[in-house]
Amino acid sequence: MRQTLKDAFEIAWKDLADFFRDRMRLISFIIMPIFMMVMTGYIFPSQNSLNGVSIAVVNGDGGGAAASRVAAGLEQIEIGGTKSFNLLSASSADEAKDLIRQGRISGAIVIPAGFTQGIMSGKQAQVTIITDQSNPQVSAMLGTMLEKVVDAFSTKVAEEKLRAVTAMAPVPLLGDPDAAVRPFVVRQEGIVAGEPNYFQFMAPGIMAMVVVMAVMMGLAGAIAREREIGTLDGILVAPINRLSIILGKTFSQSVRGFTQGALVLVLAVLLFHVRVYGSLLLVALLLVLGIFSFVGLGILISAFASEQETAMTILMTLNFPMMFLSGAFFPVQQMPEIMRWLSRLIPLSYTIQGLRKVMILGAGLGAITTEIAVLAGFGLVTLAIAVPAFSKAITR
Amino acid sequence: MSEQVMIEVENLTRKFGGFVAVDHVSFAVPKGRVFGFLGPNGAGKSTTIRMLTTLLRPTAGTARISGYDLVKEPDKVRRKIGLVSEKLIVYDRLTARENLRLFGRLNHLPDDIIRERTEHWLRALKMEPWADHLAGTFSTGMKQRVNIARALLNMPEVLFLDEPTLGLDPQTTRSIREFIQDLRSQGVTIVLTTHQMYEAEALCDTIGIIDRGRMVAVGTSSELKKMLNGDGTAVIDLEIPNLSDDMVTAIAEVPSVKHIGHETATRLRVQTVAGTAGGASGAGGADPGAPGDTIGQVLARLLSSGARLASVNMAEPTLEDVFVQLTGHEMRDEVQDKVPSGRGHSRQRVAQRVAR
Ligand SMILES: Nc1ncnc2c1ncn2[C@@H]1O[C@H](COP(=O)(O)OP(=O)(O)OP(=O)(O)O)[C@@H](O)[C@H]1O
Ligand SMILES: [Mg+2]
């Protein structure tokens, strides 16, 4: 066994020397996680990511005071110092629709004629929101925002009316008019302090994905590559245990994957202000187990793929659905039943779940025992299948 | 004789799906001898070597190498052998020395021995000055030297060389051949493959001619050539400046012409057999007699179809002729088929007809 480990170390040393002396590969090795972070960090919608979205206001009410107040309300909405809306005016609902079709605006709000007068005379007034269905994401957000504005405005109108009524009443019948209109308000409270940040949610997923994929690709690709260029024969013709080849390759690829994972974490903290609330040691443990859970699969692929390209194609095919099913980008809870069920079959899901618990919620060892057990179990079972299969397949 | 047999191969067979790449190959090599596999591309040379070096499992048959059974004790066999395969086993991003240290350690040699042997082999192969340079910066010839040094690190009793001079320049080729002869004189048993006749003749004590997975003949180079002389085969080299397909067809009709080789655009190598063996086609024509008669007929037909004969030579049979005689086709078939013009086709047709 000691000899096996020594041989494994020699193979790992060779792999790492080979890797770190290849400047191009080293550069892409560093750039890849940076790209990954920056892309996901900036592209994915943060909670209120509307900024500078053009919308049209169709003010059919002419000089009506209420209508102007709605429009002014819209203009004031801003997030982080930038205005969410860029208001244009349109003369009719049809013109607004045309503008949407041309792609010049993303939505419109139509205030009908007699809006102000309707409110004043105690009738229920109505505004129409026109959305751009070709862009469901923006249109959904816009819908919510516009509804909120209109809602806030109508609440205000209601309060004013109520106040007027109570002021006239001889006895204060209703207490606080605010409470009468809005009997309760919701206050949010998280487990850890601070604002929920979309990137905080993303970081563990990306980290797990980068590490696991680097190791899987590296493992399957490296063995297939050595087979292709012929150097594998040199290792195979040496009187060494087949296990030491697996161990050596796994070790060198893990070092690479781990370095990349650490890089992602550092970037997340420095660039996107991600905070790790739990212990870094647990984060490392989960990553190690995450790698472990996939080693068997990587070895199986490498044993049967005779060319590097075949190995990569198989991996790509596996990686793509895994990326989504594991919940790295979208919460698993939002997926349909069958997808959630599939998600449970992927070890990456558990790595990410565990990492989120530790990194976002500050969970301790006790809270992630399930994840640890599943990952270890998965790794052991796949390895038990992969190691004998590899030894058999490698000398066909 | 009490010669120690280092390699004993029995009915070694390997199938890939339904395709038989190596078909019941048997041979034995005594200690300190060089055995050469000679055969065209795809004959099964590399497949045999891969089986003998434990890299491929035989479908049937086995071999004993240095007294150990290939199938039952692969790890013991691995300790006794060295392999220089078709592809270079050298890591480009390690230096020559690092490459040797890696493989030395994987062969479980102590570090001081690795250092000593590294110096020894690098010096013997004239690679000392580049010991600490990355192998990726080496020429093919330099890499092959490092590759050979690697195969020799564990002082193998049996060395397998799969086309060791493939792609090397004449100078490097010569020095590697000399090196192989040195190793032989030091008592290393060697199996090498090649499709160059000259290499086989120059290096090998025994030559096994292999074609389509089958060993068609085994013997020393002179034994193999005697097989031809014994049955009255003659080889004629003809230089015909105005050579045409019609002339080739004309000679092919002579019953005792066994094979016509198109050496160059103006050169033919005609192999004839004596006796009635060549008359198998039964197409009639003149009665085949002694070699002299056949040559006369060949020349007569050439002249009557308008050939200008620049030279006619009776040639010493070569291993190529032996190969042709045994298999009915040339060793260089695939290479020559790449030559444009219809010649290749007519030659093949002729060869096929005669082979029938
Ligand atoms: N792994 C494999 N799978 C399927 N067929 C194979 C495999 N390896 C070799 N073959 C086939 O077996 C035959 C013998 O191949 P081999 O490499 O032994 O030939 P060779 O004599 O070494 O030829 P060359 O001179 O070109 O090196 C070829 O037809 C080849 O296509
Ligand atoms: Mg070959």
Side-chain angles (χ1 to χ4, degrees):
Chain A
M1 192 63 212
R2 244 188 85 206
Q3 190 62 59
T4 304
L5 284 177
K6 267 169 87 178
D7 294 340
F9 174 77
E10 286 302 325
I11 293 171
W13 170 82
K14 182 271 299 173
D15 274 355
L16 289 173
D18 191 67
F19 176 71
F20 283 105
R21 287 177 189 178
D22 182 347
R23 205 160 299 164
M24 268 323 282
R25 251 197 302 172
L26 201 59
I27 290 172
S28 62
F29 166 83
I30 293 170
I31 295 219
M32 194 277 272
I34 298 181
F35 254 46
M36 194 92 164
M37 294 291 287
V38 172
M39 294 289 276
T40 41
Y42 288 122
I43 282 184
F44 278 89
S46 53
Q47 236 151 21
N48 297 308
S49 72
L50 290 182
N51 70 59
V53 174
S54 295
I55 57 168
V57 177
V58 181
N59 194 347
D61 195 29
S68 315
R69 271 171 72 186
V70 173
L74 283 173
E75 203 161 7
Q76 275 161 19
I77 296 177
E78 55 177 43
I79 292 145
T82 46
K83 288 217 159 39
S84 295
F85 296 116
N86 174 22
L87 294 187
L88 272 67
S89 63
S91 57
S92 67
D94 285 338
E95 193 195 336
K97 282 179 186 169
D98 273 341
L99 287 172
I100 291 176
R101 281 191 205 101
Q102 289 162 17
R104 296 195 21 213
I105 55 173
S106 305
I109 179 163
V110 181
I111 300 166
F115 178 72
T116 312
Q117 215 193 337
I119 291 175
M120 291 310 165
S121 59
K123 281 192 209 127
Q124 195 174 29
Q126 197 180 24
V127 296
T128 311
I129 293 167
I130 305 172
T131 55
D132 173 6
Q133 279 127 319
S134 75
N135 190 344
Q137 210 122 14
V138 170
S139 112
M141 236 180 292
L142 198 64
T144 325
M145 291 281 262
L146 292 180
E147 252 169 51
K148 251 190 200 159
V149 171
V150 173
D151 204 44
F153 176 67
S154 61
T155 309
K156 229 180 206 156
V157 172
E159 275 172 19
E160 276 165 20
K161 282 189 174 172
L162 205 61
R163 200 161 277 145
V165 173
T166 19
M168 284 189 288
V171 240
L173 290 169
L174 294 159
D176 186 1
D178 270 2
V181 179
R182 285 187 299 178
F184 57 85
V185 287
V186 181
R187 197 171 74 83
Q188 283 192 4
E189 190 183 302
I191 292 179
V192 290
E195 279 285 298
N197 163 348
Y198 187 73
F199 210 75
Q200 185 85 43
F201 165 82
M202 295 293 297
I206 294 175
M207 194 161 77
M209 223 170 59
V210 164
V211 172
V212 165
M213 282 187 186
V215 174
M216 271 245 283
M217 292 249 186
L219 202 56
I223 295 178
R225 175 163 163 265
E226 282 212 46
R227 191 207 296 276
E228 220 172 312
I229 59 175
T231 48
L232 187 64
D233 289 348
I235 295 178
L236 290 174
V237 86
I240 58 170
N241 191 332
R242 294 317 180 229
L243 189 60
S244 59
I245 303 175
I246 294 177
L247 286 176
K249 290 274 168 196
T250 306
F251 183 70
S252 59
Q253 299 306 328
S254 301
V255 169
R256 283 178 51 177
F258 224 80
T259 317
Q260 254 178 341
L263 205 63
V264 169
L265 191 60
V266 169
L267 282 172
V269 171
L270 292 183
L271 243 52
F272 298 97
H273 314 293
V274 167
R275 265 189 70 185
V276 180
Y277 291 94
S279 133
L280 277 176
L281 227 58
L282 282 183
V283 172
L285 174 71
L286 279 165
L287 285 181
V288 169
L289 282 169
I291 294 171
F292 178 70
S293 68
F294 272 101
V295 167
L297 200 58
I299 288 166
L300 267 184
I301 294 172
S302 73
F304 291 103
S306 53
E307 277 164 44
Q308 203 182 352
E309 210 177 308
T310 320
M312 287 302 151
T313 313
I314 298 174
L315 278 174
M316 283 299 187
T317 317
L318 285 178
N319 274 346
F320 196 70
M322 220 165 69
M323 226 153 74
F324 292 100
L325 287 178
S326 64
F329 293 134
F330 310 107
V332 177
Q333 289 82 350
Q334 287 177 5
M335 297 179 188
E337 181 72 33
I338 180 157
M339 292 296 158
R340 259 183 291 170
W341 195 79
L342 281 175
S343 165
R344 267 178 231 134
L345 298 178
I346 303 175
L348 186 59
S349 310
Y350 297 89
T351 316
I352 294 177
Q353 195 178 309
L355 282 177
R356 285 206 177 113
K357 284 187 187 171
V358 173
M359 287 170 65
I360 308 177
L361 303 181
L365 188 62
I368 52 168
T369 42
T370 320
E371 283 83 0
I372 291 176
V374 171
L375 289 173
F378 204 93
L380 283 175
V381 170
T382 48
L383 270 175
I385 300 168
V387 172
F390 177 84
S391 305
K392 235 177 132 75
I394 204 82
T395 42
R396 283 157 216 251
Chain B
M1 274 205 272
S2 61
E3 269 184 324
Q4 190 189 348
V5 175
M6 293 300 282
I7 304 173
E8 208 175 350
V9 182
E10 280 167 43
N11 291 320
L12 203 62
T13 302
R14 175 66 203 210
K15 293 182 188 166
F16 291 110
F19 175 74
V20 187
V22 175
D23 194 358
H24 294 87
V25 164
S26 303
F27 63 94
V29 189
K31 183 169 166 51
R33 297 296 167 84
V34 180
F35 182 90
F37 263 111
L38 181 64
N41 293 126
K45 304 183 296 289
S46 297
T47 307
T48 308
I49 296 272
R50 292 180 65 77
M51 284 192 280
L52 294 178
T53 50
T54 75
L55 294 175
L56 205 61
R57 263 195 297 275
T59 311
T62 186
R64 291 184 79 76
I65 291 169
S66 278
Y68 296 113
D69 189 287
L70 191 68
V71 181
K72 293 191 196 118
E73 306 158 292
D75 245 12
K76 294 215 169 96
V77 170
R78 286 182 192 126
R79 277 175 222 284
K80 299 289 182 188
I81 61 172
L83 167 68
V84 172
S85 70
E86 271 176 312
K87 294 176 178 170
L88 292 163
I89 303 174
V90 173
Y91 290 102
D92 278 357
R93 287 195 195 82
L94 302 186
T95 64
R97 203 187 296 279
E98 284 169 341
N99 264 293
L100 297 181
R101 191 181 60 203
L102 168 68
F103 285 104
R105 287 191 178 161
L106 290 181
N107 275 289
H108 305 158
L109 302 173
D111 277 359
D112 50 340
I113 293 199
I114 294 176
R115 262 197 299 278
E116 192 181 297
R117 291 186 187 172
T118 298
E119 298 310 320
H120 173 78
W121 290 123
L122 287 182
R123 191 175 315 130
L125 286 153
K126 304 186 184 74
M127 277 299 290
E128 251 185 331
W130 293 281
D132 293 310
H133 290 239
L134 289 184
T137 63
F138 292 170
S139 69
T140 316
M142 290 158 83
K143 277 190 199 171
Q144 182 68 313
R145 288 164 203 255
V146 177
N147 192 24
I148 292 175
R150 173 199 55 74
L152 292 169
L153 273 176
N154 60 339
M155 295 291 174
E157 290 175 5
V158 181
L159 181 64
F160 292 90
L161 302 163
D162 196 353
E163 304 198 32
T165 60
L166 187 73
L168 304 183
D169 65 31
Q171 254 171 309
T172 315
T173 300
R174 199 173 53 235
S175 73
I176 289 196
R177 284 183 186 152
E178 280 167 9
F179 186 74
I180 293 171
Q181 277 158 341
D182 282 354
L183 288 174
R184 176 186 181 278
S185 63
Q186 289 161 31
V188 181
T189 309
I190 296 170
V191 174
L192 70 82
T193 76
T194 180
H195 46 225
Q196 287 175 272
M197 288 169 298
Y198 174 76
E199 186 158 286
E201 293 199 81
L203 292 176
C204 305
D205 297 294
T206 315
I207 295 167
I209 295 183
I210 185 168
D211 182 46
R212 292 173 197 168
R214 294 211 321 276
M215 189 90 105
V216 291
V218 189
T220 63
S221 121
S222 58
E223 276 168 1
L224 291 171
K225 286 177 193 164
K226 266 191 207 124
M227 288 170 55
L228 289 191
N229 291 328
D231 69 358
T233 299
V235 182
I236 321 159
D237 276 335
L238 298 160
E239 179 78 34
I240 307 166
N242 61 341
L243 183 62
S244 72
D245 278 358
D246 289 345
M247 295 171 197
V248 177
T249 320
I251 329 174
E253 280 164 9
V254 176
S256 51
V257 166
K258 164 90 180 177
H259 186 89
I260 302 167
H262 230 125
E263 308 274 286
T264 67
T266 62
R267 239 184 128 77
L268 290 183
R269 191 176 179 94
V270 181
Q271 207 182 105
T272 66
V273 287
T276 49
S281 61
D287 184 32
D293 284 1
T294 307
I295 296 164
Q297 284 179 33
V298 167
L299 296 181
R301 282 187 186 246
L302 280 174
L303 290 173
S304 65
S305 52
R308 285 190 289 118
L309 291 172
S311 81
V312 178
N313 280 307
M314 294 296 292
E316 268 297 302
T318 62
L319 286 175
E320 170 84 27
D321 298 318
V322 177
F323 185 83
V324 167
Q325 166 83 5
L326 290 168
T327 64
H329 60 92
E330 281 166 50
M331 205 178 310
R332 289 163 299 167
D333 264 350
E334 278 140 297
V335 185
Q336 285 220 331
D337 274 350
K338 283 173 197 148
V339 178
S341 95
R343 290 235 168 84
H345 290 287
S346 73
R347 177 175 48 77
Q348 264 198 334
R349 236 185 8 248
V350 171
Q352 274 167 11
R353 189 183 70 81
V354 177
R356 246 189 280 131

PDB file of all heavy atoms in Angstrom, chain A residues 59 64 90 131-132 138 150 152 174 176 186 189 204 210 212 330 344-345 365 369:
ATOM      1  N   ASN A  59     -51.053  59.508 -20.970  1.00  0.00           N
ATOM      2  CA  ASN A  59     -51.886  60.250 -20.019  1.00  0.00           C
ATOM      3  C   ASN A  59     -53.133  60.780 -20.725  1.00  0.00           C
ATOM      4  O   ASN A  59     -53.146  61.836 -21.314  1.00  0.00           O
ATOM      5  CB  ASN A  59     -51.069  61.397 -19.412  1.00  0.00           C
ATOM      6  CG  ASN A  59     -51.753  61.971 -18.194  1.00  0.00           C
ATOM      7  OD1 ASN A  59     -52.926  61.675 -17.943  1.00  0.00           O
ATOM      8  ND2 ASN A  59     -51.043  62.804 -17.451  1.00  0.00           N
ATOM      9  N   GLY A  64     -55.207  66.330 -15.411  1.00  0.00           N
ATOM     10  CA  GLY A  64     -55.693  65.822 -14.133  1.00  0.00           C
ATOM     11  C   GLY A  64     -54.588  65.695 -13.095  1.00  0.00           C
ATOM     12  O   GLY A  64     -53.517  65.171 -13.383  1.00  0.00           O
ATOM     13  N   ALA A  90     -46.656  58.928 -24.647  1.00  0.00           N
ATOM     14  CA  ALA A  90     -47.276  58.499 -25.886  1.00  0.00           C
ATOM     15  C   ALA A  90     -48.707  59.028 -25.879  1.00  0.00           C
ATOM     16  O   ALA A  90     -49.276  59.233 -24.808  1.00  0.00           O
ATOM     17  CB  ALA A  90     -47.271  56.992 -25.985  1.00  0.00           C
ATOM     18  N   THR A 131     -47.761  45.266 -21.276  1.00  0.00           N
ATOM     19  CA  THR A 131     -46.413  44.685 -21.128  1.00  0.00           C
ATOM     20  C   THR A 131     -45.931  44.084 -22.437  1.00  0.00           C
ATOM     21  O   THR A 131     -46.711  43.768 -23.328  1.00  0.00           O
ATOM     22  CB  THR A 131     -46.392  43.585 -20.044  1.00  0.00           C
ATOM     23  OG1 THR A 131     -47.375  42.621 -20.375  1.00  0.00           O
ATOM     24  CG2 THR A 131     -46.657  44.157 -18.682  1.00  0.00           C
ATOM     25  N   ASP A 132     -44.640  43.912 -22.514  1.00  0.00           N
ATOM     26  CA  ASP A 132     -43.997  43.347 -23.706  1.00  0.00           C
ATOM     27  C   ASP A 132     -43.842  41.843 -23.491  1.00  0.00           C
ATOM     28  O   ASP A 132     -42.954  41.399 -22.761  1.00  0.00           O
ATOM     29  CB  ASP A 132     -42.616  44.018 -23.851  1.00  0.00           C
ATOM     30  CG  ASP A 132     -41.799  43.393 -24.956  1.00  0.00           C
ATOM     31  OD1 ASP A 132     -42.333  42.527 -25.681  1.00  0.00           O
ATOM     32  OD2 ASP A 132     -40.629  43.789 -25.106  1.00  0.00           O
ATOM     33  N   VAL A 138     -38.522  40.851 -17.971  1.00  0.00           N
ATOM     34  CA  VAL A 138     -38.670  42.282 -17.726  1.00  0.00           C
ATOM     35  C   VAL A 138     -40.137  42.629 -17.555  1.00  0.00           C
ATOM     36  O   VAL A 138     -40.523  43.406 -16.680  1.00  0.00           O
ATOM     37  CB  VAL A 138     -38.070  43.096 -18.897  1.00  0.00           C
ATOM     38  CG1 VAL A 138     -38.446  44.571 -18.770  1.00  0.00           C
ATOM     39  CG2 VAL A 138     -36.574  42.925 -18.939  1.00  0.00           C
ATOM     40  N   VAL A 150     -48.990  51.960  -8.570  1.00  0.00           N
ATOM     41  CA  VAL A 150     -50.414  52.301  -8.629  1.00  0.00           C
ATOM     42  C   VAL A 150     -51.077  51.982  -7.289  1.00  0.00           C
ATOM     43  O   VAL A 150     -51.881  52.747  -6.755  1.00  0.00           O
ATOM     44  CB  VAL A 150     -51.094  51.539  -9.783  1.00  0.00           C
ATOM     45  CG1 VAL A 150     -52.594  51.739  -9.740  1.00  0.00           C
ATOM     46  CG2 VAL A 150     -50.520  51.988 -11.106  1.00  0.00           C
ATOM     47  N   ALA A 152     -49.651  51.835  -4.302  1.00  0.00           N
ATOM     48  CA  ALA A 152     -49.244  52.800  -3.290  1.00  0.00           C
ATOM     49  C   ALA A 152     -50.041  54.088  -3.453  1.00  0.00           C
ATOM     50  O   ALA A 152     -50.485  54.699  -2.469  1.00  0.00           O
ATOM     51  CB  ALA A 152     -47.749  53.092  -3.435  1.00  0.00           C
ATOM     52  N   LEU A 174     -62.113  55.073  14.247  1.00  0.00           N
ATOM     53  CA  LEU A 174     -61.286  54.036  13.623  1.00  0.00           C
ATOM     54  C   LEU A 174     -59.819  54.021  14.034  1.00  0.00           C
ATOM     55  O   LEU A 174     -59.035  53.239  13.524  1.00  0.00           O
ATOM     56  CB  LEU A 174     -61.346  54.191  12.103  1.00  0.00           C
ATOM     57  CG  LEU A 174     -62.715  53.910  11.513  1.00  0.00           C
ATOM     58  CD1 LEU A 174     -62.843  54.560  10.154  1.00  0.00           C
ATOM     59  CD2 LEU A 174     -62.961  52.416  11.451  1.00  0.00           C
ATOM     60  N   ASP A 176     -56.073  54.815  14.003  1.00  0.00           N
ATOM     61  CA  ASP A 176     -55.131  55.266  12.972  1.00  0.00           C
ATOM     62  C   ASP A 176     -55.681  54.957  11.580  1.00  0.00           C
ATOM     63  O   ASP A 176     -55.960  53.798  11.276  1.00  0.00           O
ATOM     64  CB  ASP A 176     -53.807  54.525  13.177  1.00  0.00           C
ATOM     65  CG  ASP A 176     -52.750  55.049  12.229  1.00  0.00           C
ATOM     66  OD1 ASP A 176     -53.041  55.981  11.459  1.00  0.00           O
ATOM     67  OD2 ASP A 176     -51.630  54.500  12.258  1.00  0.00           O
ATOM     68  N   VAL A 186     -45.724  43.643   6.679  1.00  0.00           N
ATOM     69  CA  VAL A 186     -44.801  42.524   6.846  1.00  0.00           C
ATOM     70  C   VAL A 186     -43.398  43.061   7.060  1.00  0.00           C
ATOM     71  O   VAL A 186     -42.964  43.994   6.394  1.00  0.00           O
ATOM     72  CB  VAL A 186     -44.794  41.634   5.588  1.00  0.00           C
ATOM     73  CG1 VAL A 186     -43.854  40.455   5.760  1.00  0.00           C
ATOM     74  CG2 VAL A 186     -46.203  41.166   5.282  1.00  0.00           C
ATOM     75  N   GLU A 189     -37.181  39.177   8.229  1.00  0.00           N
ATOM     76  CA  GLU A 189     -36.012  39.005   9.076  1.00  0.00           C
ATOM     77  C   GLU A 189     -35.291  37.730   8.649  1.00  0.00           C
ATOM     78  O   GLU A 189     -35.885  36.661   8.575  1.00  0.00           O
ATOM     79  CB  GLU A 189     -36.447  38.901  10.536  1.00  0.00           C
ATOM     80  CG  GLU A 189     -35.271  38.958  11.481  1.00  0.00           C
ATOM     81  CD  GLU A 189     -35.714  38.776  12.930  1.00  0.00           C
ATOM     82  OE1 GLU A 189     -36.547  39.565  13.402  1.00  0.00           O
ATOM     83  OE2 GLU A 189     -35.230  37.833  13.547  1.00  0.00           O
ATOM     84  N   PRO A 204     -21.867  29.839  -3.839  1.00  0.00           N
ATOM     85  CA  PRO A 204     -21.600  28.432  -3.502  1.00  0.00           C
ATOM     86  C   PRO A 204     -21.825  27.512  -4.696  1.00  0.00           C
ATOM     87  O   PRO A 204     -21.040  26.591  -4.930  1.00  0.00           O
ATOM     88  CB  PRO A 204     -22.622  28.133  -2.403  1.00  0.00           C
ATOM     89  CG  PRO A 204     -23.046  29.440  -1.875  1.00  0.00           C
ATOM     90  CD  PRO A 204     -22.926  30.419  -2.995  1.00  0.00           C
ATOM     91  N   VAL A 210     -17.476  24.724 -10.448  1.00  0.00           N
ATOM     92  CA  VAL A 210     -16.120  24.889 -10.993  1.00  0.00           C
ATOM     93  C   VAL A 210     -15.214  23.764 -10.485  1.00  0.00           C
ATOM     94  O   VAL A 210     -14.497  23.127 -11.257  1.00  0.00           O
ATOM     95  CB  VAL A 210     -15.547  26.266 -10.608  1.00  0.00           C
ATOM     96  CG1 VAL A 210     -14.042  26.295 -10.805  1.00  0.00           C
ATOM     97  CG2 VAL A 210     -16.213  27.349 -11.424  1.00  0.00           C
ATOM     98  N   VAL A 212     -15.976  20.737  -9.111  1.00  0.00           N
ATOM     99  CA  VAL A 212     -16.353  19.383  -9.526  1.00  0.00           C
ATOM    100  C   VAL A 212     -16.095  19.169 -11.018  1.00  0.00           C
ATOM    101  O   VAL A 212     -15.563  18.147 -11.436  1.00  0.00           O
ATOM    102  CB  VAL A 212     -17.835  19.121  -9.174  1.00  0.00           C
ATOM    103  CG1 VAL A 212     -18.344  17.892  -9.898  1.00  0.00           C
ATOM    104  CG2 VAL A 212     -17.974  18.954  -7.676  1.00  0.00           C
ATOM    105  N   PHE A 330     -30.526  28.205 -10.395  1.00  0.00           N
ATOM    106  CA  PHE A 330     -31.907  28.460 -10.000  1.00  0.00           C
ATOM    107  C   PHE A 330     -32.246  27.580  -8.817  1.00  0.00           C
ATOM    108  O   PHE A 330     -31.832  26.426  -8.789  1.00  0.00           O
ATOM    109  CB  PHE A 330     -32.840  28.149 -11.167  1.00  0.00           C
ATOM    110  CG  PHE A 330     -32.419  28.804 -12.434  1.00  0.00           C
ATOM    111  CD1 PHE A 330     -31.865  28.066 -13.463  1.00  0.00           C
ATOM    112  CD2 PHE A 330     -32.533  30.185 -12.577  1.00  0.00           C
ATOM    113  CE1 PHE A 330     -31.447  28.683 -14.629  1.00  0.00           C
ATOM    114  CE2 PHE A 330     -32.111  30.800 -13.746  1.00  0.00           C
ATOM    115  CZ  PHE A 330     -31.568  30.051 -14.768  1.00  0.00           C
ATOM    116  N   ARG A 344     -32.307  15.318  -6.903  1.00  0.00           N
ATOM    117  CA  ARG A 344     -31.834  14.570  -5.738  1.00  0.00           C
ATOM    118  C   ARG A 344     -30.894  13.434  -6.111  1.00  0.00           C
ATOM    119  O   ARG A 344     -30.214  12.877  -5.259  1.00  0.00           O
ATOM    120  CB  ARG A 344     -33.036  13.995  -4.976  1.00  0.00           C
ATOM    121  CG  ARG A 344     -33.485  14.938  -3.888  1.00  0.00           C
ATOM    122  CD  ARG A 344     -34.702  14.401  -3.167  1.00  0.00           C
ATOM    123  NE  ARG A 344     -35.716  15.442  -3.140  1.00  0.00           N
ATOM    124  CZ  ARG A 344     -36.994  15.263  -3.421  1.00  0.00           C
ATOM    125  NH1 ARG A 344     -37.433  14.069  -3.759  1.00  0.00           N
ATOM    126  NH2 ARG A 344     -37.825  16.264  -3.387  1.00  0.00           N
ATOM    127  N   LEU A 345     -30.855  13.074  -7.392  1.00  0.00           N
ATOM    128  CA  LEU A 345     -29.978  11.978  -7.816  1.00  0.00           C
ATOM    129  C   LEU A 345     -28.577  12.471  -8.150  1.00  0.00           C
ATOM    130  O   LEU A 345     -27.678  11.694  -8.408  1.00  0.00           O
ATOM    131  CB  LEU A 345     -30.559  11.294  -9.057  1.00  0.00           C
ATOM    132  CG  LEU A 345     -31.914  10.636  -8.860  1.00  0.00           C
ATOM    133  CD1 LEU A 345     -32.404  10.038 -10.170  1.00  0.00           C
ATOM    134  CD2 LEU A 345     -31.816   9.554  -7.793  1.00  0.00           C
ATOM    135  N   LEU A 365     -21.423  21.750  11.564  1.00  0.00           N
ATOM    136  CA  LEU A 365     -21.297  20.373  11.104  1.00  0.00           C
ATOM    137  C   LEU A 365     -22.607  19.604  11.262  1.00  0.00           C
ATOM    138  O   LEU A 365     -22.998  18.830  10.405  1.00  0.00           O
ATOM    139  CB  LEU A 365     -20.164  19.688  11.883  1.00  0.00           C
ATOM    140  CG  LEU A 365     -19.751  18.298  11.409  1.00  0.00           C
ATOM    141  CD1 LEU A 365     -19.226  18.352   9.997  1.00  0.00           C
ATOM    142  CD2 LEU A 365     -18.708  17.710  12.343  1.00  0.00           C
ATOM    143  N   THR A 369     -25.017  16.961   8.114  1.00  0.00           N
ATOM    144  CA  THR A 369     -24.657  15.532   8.170  1.00  0.00           C
ATOM    145  C   THR A 369     -25.292  14.758   7.015  1.00  0.00           C
ATOM    146  O   THR A 369     -24.660  13.870   6.449  1.00  0.00           O
ATOM    147  CB  THR A 369     -25.091  14.890   9.507  1.00  0.00           C
ATOM    148  OG1 THR A 369     -26.387  15.382   9.814  1.00  0.00           O
ATOM    149  CG2 THR A 369     -24.130  15.220  10.612  1.00  0.00           C
TER     150      THR A 369
END
